[in-house]
Amino acid sequence: MTLSDLRYTVTTGLLSDVPKPTGGGKAPPELVKFVELGLNLIAWAGTAAGVCGVLVTGTMMAISHKRGESSEHMSRLGMVLGGCILVAVAGPVIGWFFTNGGTETPAAK
């Protein structure tokens, strides 16, 4: 008996009594609402963090300019704006992946 035969025997013996789900492959509506609420809160928090980051970076740039110092605030601003773009694009990209590239399957209709 090889290792793969042993694994097959053990898994088929252990998994033979596992019940098959009968939900039709859809999440419960309560769970969907809860997950959407969580994702919306995370999106709003990311947007608020991006706005705060731009404001803080702009303030630091103004203070450094008034003092006559030269710093690399533009790279910091670039990172903050890159994060804002990432937060803004994340939701639609994930939505696109979960809807099979924007097309519904015939079984979903």
Side-chain angles (χ1 to χ4, degrees):
M1 181 178 254
T2 64
L3 186 60
S4 62
D5 293 335
L6 179 63
R7 183 190 61 84
Y8 177 75
T9 305
V10 168
T11 55
T12 54
L14 291 175
L15 299 178
S16 62
D17 296 333
V18 175
K20 303 250 188 279
T22 59
K26 295 186 179 187
E30 300 85 21
L31 178 64
V32 171
K33 288 179 185 178
F34 184 70
V35 169
E36 285 179 356
L37 175 68
L39 290 176
N40 286 337
L41 288 174
I42 291 170
W44 276 104
T47 303
V51 169
C52 289
V54 170
L55 290 175
V56 167
T57 302
T59 303
M60 292 178 70
M61 287 173 71
I63 292 171
S64 293
H65 180 70
K66 187 172 183 174
R67 290 181 182 170
E69 300 172 354
S70 62
S71 327
E72 296 187 13
H73 292 293
M74 290 306 285
S75 65
R76 181 178 298 161
L77 183 62
M79 286 190 287
V80 169
L81 292 177
C84 291
I85 291 170
L86 183 66
V87 167
V89 171
V93 168
I94 296 301
W96 183 78
F97 277 118
F98 280 116
T99 58
N100 296 326
T103 60
E104 292 183 358
T105 58
K109 289 184 178 180

